[in-house]
């Protein structure tokens, strides 16, 4: 379609402007809507605009943000990782078991296992050339099975044994808990990696055009491999932090979390086809989802099904707008 | 996208790999049956097979629609939510009689299918996000309709769909649910293999641009495929409700999209579109059902059966990667 419609010669100015506005809306639309929601929420609900409520939103967002950062890298390469919800549960359970050996065990055990599982998925996608959707779908089932296998079918909820680990989850600074700072650090590191490092540029190049990236001599397979390891590590870390925060590794948490993470990334303006997107958008996407949830809670009597309807409809509207915007830019 | 980087080893005709790619699912099905013949007491009995066939019906019916969607290089994650929606609608309208209630439930599914299809066909949203949004919202709507409550269904006609049989009281009685599933399999198989619609669907899945340039009604076919998938999911939701004797929108069809996709892919339909294997899909659904039953009968915990299922998906897709046979 694009080939037929592309005309030779300089584009008229109005079209250039339209393209620029579309590109801006694609990248910063989520942030603008977030600000509007925050203002509207503050006016509508007196309990919304409070330090403790904002600290709450920050804590709730931090766990999802860490997962969404990994997911952003995967989606930027044109892939998808459906296994993060199960990986998150495994991270929490392993952190609780690992906390027998102190804070080191509480984080080293889940991260090591996550790295191995991420490496298996990455190898199957990158080197065996299997569809990411199917590989990580198997991961979703298999890892959840693993969680239930090590917790007596989900009936055991291991507790965090180590006070230092619990302090990392529950303690904090200036009213914000440590997971918030850890998530922000991950965001900064991720952003620097993506925009300033060779590896990050390779991720964008592979997602933009795999052929072009291969012809430029980029290690395409290694890039694919790495993002799945990174995503599994992020999900495992988030699970471990959640366990530290709640003092226990709950086996059945994180069901459907992959969908929230994908929604956040997509709402943040990252294209599912890969090659375009940024982590600031992902942050806005995560905050948007959490703020919507918080606002629905403010109303009080509304149930979680209303929340599902609102988030689903919101996601639909966002992707429709984005698809239209992306088309405007391509014309 | 992958021409430059993927070096595909072409399996020779008649090679072991080529054979496995074509008939792997049937071989696996045979092996599972043989295993049960030897190691599982009371597996080869009419009653057991009847139970297995009735249990596989919802996954199979959903998988039929999924196969069509995957044939166009799409995916439909909203099928579980559509089942929940249909389940929630049935008890609402049962007062007007069973048939109107069932038709309205299917119509509810059709609306979801129309929304999915419109987003994919007319706006160009990727199928995975389009149907993801309805997967989340659809179940929410179902729960709102049902007031988040479980409702018993006592209408005899509806119950018969899940529990009744043709030739009741006979040892060879055939459950109505199985008859419905067989009819749907035949209809969808004819649709794919014998109609213009089927050929156009495969053409779109094989190469959308070529199909567009050839003047095929690409948008209309994409829309139809998602509508058909939703209609089949709604039927599965009604049968599932009938079997339970209750409308349970909170749990019905949970994760069924994963089982359906697995059945389709294990059955030899590639995720890249352009081919649809209905017989393979049936075999894939039966394979999953028999494996689950085998693990249950040998007291393997649920956790391990999930891991086994994951391994089967990976093995099936690993064997099928780089397949080049067209039809």
């Amino acid at each position: 379609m694009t080939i037929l419609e592309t005309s030779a010669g300089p584009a008229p100015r109005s079209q250039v402007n339209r393209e620029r506005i579309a590109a801006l809306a694609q990248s910063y639309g989520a942030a603008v809507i977030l600000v509007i929601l925050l203002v509207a929420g503050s006016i509508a609900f007196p309990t919304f605009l409070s330090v403790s409520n904002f600290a709450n939103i920050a804590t709730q967002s931090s766990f999802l943000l860490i997962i969404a950062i990994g997911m952003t890298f995967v989606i930027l390469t044109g892939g998808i990782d459906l296994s993060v919800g199960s990986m998150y549960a495994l991270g929490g359970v392993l952190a609780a078991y690992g906390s027998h050996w102190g804070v080191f065990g509480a984080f080293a055990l889940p991260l090591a296992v996550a790295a191995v599982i991420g490496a298996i998925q990455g190898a199957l996608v990158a080197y065996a050339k299997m569809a990411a959707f199917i590989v990580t779908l198997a991961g979703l089932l298999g890892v959840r099975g693993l969680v239930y296998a090590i917790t007596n079918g989900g009936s055991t909820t291991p507790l965090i044994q180590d006070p230092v680990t619990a302090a990392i989850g529950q303690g904090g600074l200036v009213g914000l808990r440590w997971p918030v700072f850890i998530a922000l650090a991950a965001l900064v590191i991720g952003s620097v990696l993506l925009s300033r490092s060779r590896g990050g540029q390779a991720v964008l190049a592979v997602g933009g055009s795999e052929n072009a990236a291969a012809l430029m001599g980029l290690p395409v397979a290694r890039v694919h491999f790495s993002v799945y390891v990174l995503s599994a590590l992020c999900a495992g870390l988030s699970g471990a932090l959640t366990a530290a925060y709640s003092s226990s590794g709950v086996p059945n948490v994180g069901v459907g979390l992959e969908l929230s993470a994908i929604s956040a990334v997509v709402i943040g303006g990252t294209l599912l086809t890969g090659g375009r997107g940024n982590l600031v958008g992902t942050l806005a996407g995560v905050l948007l989802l959490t703020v919507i949830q918080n606002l629905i809670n403010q109303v009080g009597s509304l149930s979680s099904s209303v929340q599902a309807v609102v988030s689903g409809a919101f996601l639909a509207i966002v992707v429709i707008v984005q698809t239209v915007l992306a088309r405007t830019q391509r014309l | 996208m992958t021409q430059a980087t993927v070096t595909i080893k072409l399996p020779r005709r008649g090679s072991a790999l080529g054979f496995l790619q074509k008939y792997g699912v049937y071989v696996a099905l045979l092996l599972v049956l043989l295993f049960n013949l030897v190691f599982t007491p009371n597996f080869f009995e009419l009653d057991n097979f009847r139970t297995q066939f009735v249990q596989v019906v919802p996954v199979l019916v959903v998988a039929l629609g999924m196969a069509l969607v995957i044939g166009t290089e799409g995916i439909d994650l909203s099928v579980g939510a559509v089942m929940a929606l249909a389940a929630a609608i049935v008890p609402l309208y049962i007062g007007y009689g069973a048939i109107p209630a069932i038709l309205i439930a299917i119509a509810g599914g059709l609306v979801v299918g129309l929304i999915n299809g419109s987003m994919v066909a007319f706006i160009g949203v990727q199928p995975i996000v389009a149907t993801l949004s309805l997967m989340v919202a659809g179940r929410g709507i179902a729960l709102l309709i049902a007031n988040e409550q479980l409702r018993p269904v006592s209408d005899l006609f509806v119950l018969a769909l899940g529990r009744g049989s043709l030739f009741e009281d006979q040892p060879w009685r055939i459950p109505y649910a199985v008859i419905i599933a067989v009819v749907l399999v035949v209809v969808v198989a004819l649709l794919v293999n014998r109609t213009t619609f089927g050929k156009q669907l495969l053409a779109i899945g094989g190469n959308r641009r070529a199909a567009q340039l050839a003047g095929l009604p690409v948008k209309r076919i994409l829309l139809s495929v998602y509508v058909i998938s939703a209609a089949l999911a709604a039927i599965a939701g009604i049968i599932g409700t009938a079997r339970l004797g209750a409308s349970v929108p909170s749990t019905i069809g949970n994760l069924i999209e994963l089982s359906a996709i697995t059945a389709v892919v294990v059955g030899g339909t590639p995720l890249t579109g352009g081919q649809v294997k209905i017989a393979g899909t049936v075999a894939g659904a039966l394979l999953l059902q028999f494996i689950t039953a085998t693990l249950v009968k040998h007291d393997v915990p649920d956790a391990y059966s999930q891991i086994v299922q994951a391994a089967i998906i990976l093995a099936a897709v690993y064997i099928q990667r780089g397949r080049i046979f067209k039809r």
Side-chain angles (χ1 to χ4, degrees):
Chain A
M1 198 158 82
T2 43
I3 297 173
L4 295 176
E5 284 161 9
T6 304
S7 54
R13 175 181 291 234
S14 65
Q15 190 185 332
V16 174
N17 279 342
R18 192 156 14 109
E19 280 173 32
R20 196 176 299 155
I21 292 167
L24 283 174
Q26 178 95 40
S27 304
Y28 301 106
V32 173
I33 299 172
L34 178 62
V35 171
I36 294 172
L37 266 187
L38 285 176
V39 172
S42 308
I43 295 169
F45 307 105
T47 45
F48 179 78
L49 186 65
S50 72
V51 174
S52 68
N53 191 39
F54 277 20
N56 245 338
I57 291 176
T59 310
Q60 281 163 17
S61 304
S62 60
F63 304 117
L64 180 58
L65 176 60
I66 295 174
I67 296 174
I69 289 170
M71 186 69 82
T72 308
F73 276 86
V74 174
I75 291 181
L76 279 174
T77 65
I80 197 122
D81 188 352
L82 300 180
S83 70
V84 290
S86 303
M87 202 59 240
Y88 171 79
L90 183 65
V93 169
L94 288 178
Y97 284 131
S99 64
H100 286 281
W101 298 284
V103 65
F104 176 76
F107 284 95
L109 183 63
L111 289 179
V113 174
V116 171
I117 292 171
I120 295 172
Q121 296 192 136
L124 289 174
V125 173
Y127 300 108
K129 314 278 184 209
M130 289 161 66
F133 185 84
I134 285 293
V135 169
T136 58
L137 171 59
L140 182 158
L141 289 172
V143 173
R144 181 68 64 178
L146 197 60
V147 172
Y148 287 146
I150 60 175
T151 56
N152 288 327
S155 60
T156 315
T157 300
L159 301 178
I160 293 282
Q161 311 278 338
D162 171 57
V164 181
T165 310
I168 289 177
Q170 294 153 19
L173 199 69
V174 293
L176 292 173
R177 294 180 195 273
W178 291 122
V180 177
F181 294 100
I182 295 170
L184 287 176
L187 184 72
V188 171
I189 295 169
S191 296
V192 172
L193 266 181
L194 193 59
S195 54
R196 297 270 177 271
S197 79
R198 194 177 294 186
Q201 292 298 302
V203 165
L204 291 170
V206 168
S209 165
E210 201 164 301
N211 284 346
L215 292 173
M216 282 191 291
L218 291 174
V220 174
R222 209 166 70 212
V223 168
H224 279 302
F225 174 80
S226 313
V227 292
Y228 291 93
V229 176
L230 179 69
S231 175
L233 282 174
C234 286
L237 173 65
S238 178
L241 286 172
T242 306
Y245 172 68
S246 60
S247 296
S248 59
V250 185
N252 54 7
V253 293
V255 175
L257 194 59
E258 63 282 350
L259 305 179
S260 307
I262 295 168
S263 304
V265 173
V266 171
I267 289 170
T270 298
L271 295 183
L272 267 178
T273 41
R276 280 268 308 274
N278 63 77
L279 287 171
V280 179
T282 299
L283 171 67
V286 168
L287 287 175
L288 255 183
L289 289 181
T290 321
V291 167
I292 289 176
Q293 190 184 340
N294 191 283
L295 284 173
I296 288 172
N297 289 343
Q298 300 285 337
V299 179
S301 62
L302 291 180
S303 61
S304 61
S305 23
V306 176
Q307 192 180 312
V309 176
V310 172
S311 348
F314 186 72
L315 177 63
I317 293 166
V318 168
V319 290
I320 288 171
V321 170
Q322 277 181 357
T323 314
V324 173
L325 288 177
R327 205 184 290 158
T328 312
Q329 291 167 62
R330 253 189 280 124
L331 287 178
Chain B
M1 191 172 86
T2 45
Q3 298 100 325
T5 49
V6 183
T7 48
I8 298 171
K9 283 206 198 85
L10 306 181
R12 274 176 294 119
R13 241 168 238 283
S15 72
L17 184 63
F19 179 78
L20 272 185
Q21 285 187 349
K22 263 193 156 162
Y23 304 109
V25 63
Y26 305 106
V27 174
L29 195 55
L30 208 64
L31 288 177
V32 172
L33 287 175
L34 277 178
F35 175 89
N36 282 305
L37 185 62
V38 178
F39 294 106
T40 316
N42 305 330
F43 195 89
F44 272 77
E45 284 185 0
L46 219 49
D47 271 334
N48 178 49
F49 276 106
R50 190 156 32 230
T51 313
Q52 302 301 331
F53 285 137
V54 169
Q55 282 180 359
V56 83
V57 166
V59 173
L60 175 57
V61 170
V62 168
L64 288 176
M66 190 68 80
L68 297 184
V69 175
I70 290 179
T72 64
E73 214 179 345
I75 200 101
D76 187 352
L77 299 181
S78 68
V79 285
V82 171
M83 281 180 73
L85 195 60
I89 291 175
V90 167
L92 282 190
Y93 293 96
I94 204 76
Y96 299 101
I99 303 282
I102 289 171
L103 290 180
I104 295 170
I106 294 177
L110 291 181
V111 172
V112 175
L114 277 174
I115 301 174
N116 277 332
S118 306
M119 283 168 77
V120 173
F122 299 117
I123 306 174
V125 177
Q126 277 138 332
I128 186 171
V129 250
T131 57
L132 169 60
S133 64
L134 278 134
M135 171 189 183
V136 178
R139 193 171 291 272
I141 293 171
L143 284 168
L144 285 180
I145 289 178
N147 225 349
E148 307 200 4
Q149 274 167 358
L150 180 155
R151 290 179 193 202
V153 173
S154 51
D155 184 274
L156 291 176
F157 182 85
V158 175
L159 286 182
L161 292 179
R163 298 170 172 181
S165 305
L166 193 62
F167 311 122
E168 201 87 60
D169 306 328
Q170 302 283 349
W172 61 82
R173 63 184 183 277
I174 312 168
Y176 291 124
V178 174
I179 297 175
I180 296 171
V182 170
V183 169
L184 290 174
V185 167
V186 172
V187 169
V188 174
L190 289 177
L191 190 67
V192 172
N193 297 317
R194 292 272 182 274
T195 64
T196 320
F197 175 81
K199 303 278 180 234
Q200 292 177 333
L201 182 159
L202 297 176
I204 289 172
N207 187 336
R208 182 163 311 173
R209 263 191 69 71
Q212 212 157 30
L213 292 174
L216 298 187
V218 173
K219 292 179 178 173
R220 206 178 69 212
I221 288 173
L222 282 177
L223 180 68
S224 319
V225 160
Y226 286 90
V227 170
I228 294 172
S229 172
L232 289 169
I235 294 173
I238 294 163
I239 294 177
T241 302
R243 211 176 70 204
L244 289 171
S247 155
V248 197
S250 57
T251 56
I252 192 171
N254 253 341
L255 293 183
I256 200 164
E257 59 282 348
L258 302 185
S259 310
I261 294 168
T262 308
V264 173
V265 172
V266 168
T269 303
L271 279 174
T272 42
Q275 299 180 58
V276 174
K277 304 253 189 266
I278 297 300
T281 301
V282 176
L286 284 175
L287 177 64
L288 294 182
Q289 175 64 31
F290 284 143
I291 287 171
T292 314
T294 308
L295 294 169
V296 168
K297 283 182 192 292
H298 287 272
D299 293 324
V300 178
D302 214 28
Y304 294 97
S305 82
Q306 275 192 21
I307 298 176
V308 171
Q309 203 182 341
I312 291 167
I313 301 174
L314 289 180
V317 179
Y318 185 82
I319 289 172
Q320 280 163 22
R321 88 210 149 100
R323 80 188 265 140
I324 46 127
F325 297 121
K326 280 272 174 185
R327 254 152 275 158

